[in-house]
Amino acid sequence: ELFVHYGEQWFTGREQFADVPVTKNWDDSNFILASVWSLSNLENAELGDKQTLELLDVIKKSAVDEHRTGMALDTVTSINGLKRVVERNGAAQATMEVRTPEWFEKHGTYLPTDS
């Protein structure tokens, strides 16, 4: 896969990308998601899956005023999704498909550089 870093201002400066979270939004959503996960796993918390997702929804609707952060939070729609975010160290990482070296060997192309 080829990645080029255009800088976040490239996204924030274009209205058609208003829904694309940038680093701060992913960081904020990771903090919220990790906090909700921690609360749901406290001893004697008695928060079931439904209540945990409801709590996340209330936080998103009441406490998140940044649209892009809300979009990052929208990537989590289930308890399994929340767990995957925590396990994969963040919402952005959890939304990416992990590709094996074999996949790259089959589908990849070598792009030499002049360095």
Side-chain angles (χ1 to χ4, degrees):
E1 293 184 357
L2 180 65
F3 294 95
V4 177
H5 192 282
Y6 290 100
E8 293 185 351
Q9 69 277 2
W10 193 87
F11 291 98
T12 58
R14 290 174 169 74
E15 189 174 318
Q16 68 267 33
F17 297 114
D19 292 341
V20 177
V22 293
T23 301
K24 180 189 181 319
N25 308 117
W26 289 114
D27 290 345
D28 290 347
S29 71
N30 291 343
F31 178 79
I32 292 166
L33 294 168
S35 298
V36 168
W37 180 255
S38 293
L39 282 172
S40 71
N41 286 287
L42 285 175
E43 191 173 327
N44 301 323
E46 297 186 24
L47 275 178
D49 293 354
K50 182 180 178 193
Q51 292 85 6
T52 300
L53 292 175
E54 288 172 353
L55 173 62
L56 180 57
D57 193 50
V58 167
I59 291 170
K60 182 182 153 199
K61 289 178 180 174
S62 304
V64 175
D65 58 356
E66 174 66 42
H67 175 72
R68 291 174 190 265
T69 302
M71 296 303 295
L73 289 170
D74 279 347
T75 63
V76 175
T77 59
S78 68
I79 289 299
N80 286 337
L82 180 57
K83 182 179 180 183
R84 189 171 69 242
V85 165
V86 173
E87 289 173 345
R88 296 214 38 206
N89 199 31
Q93 292 86 341
T95 61
M96 293 175 48
E97 180 181 344
V98 177
R99 306 230 167 131
T100 65
E102 293 79 22
W103 185 93
F104 284 104
E105 287 175 10
K106 181 177 179 183
H107 301 285
T109 301
Y110 175 69
L111 298 174
T113 63
D114 294 334
S115 8

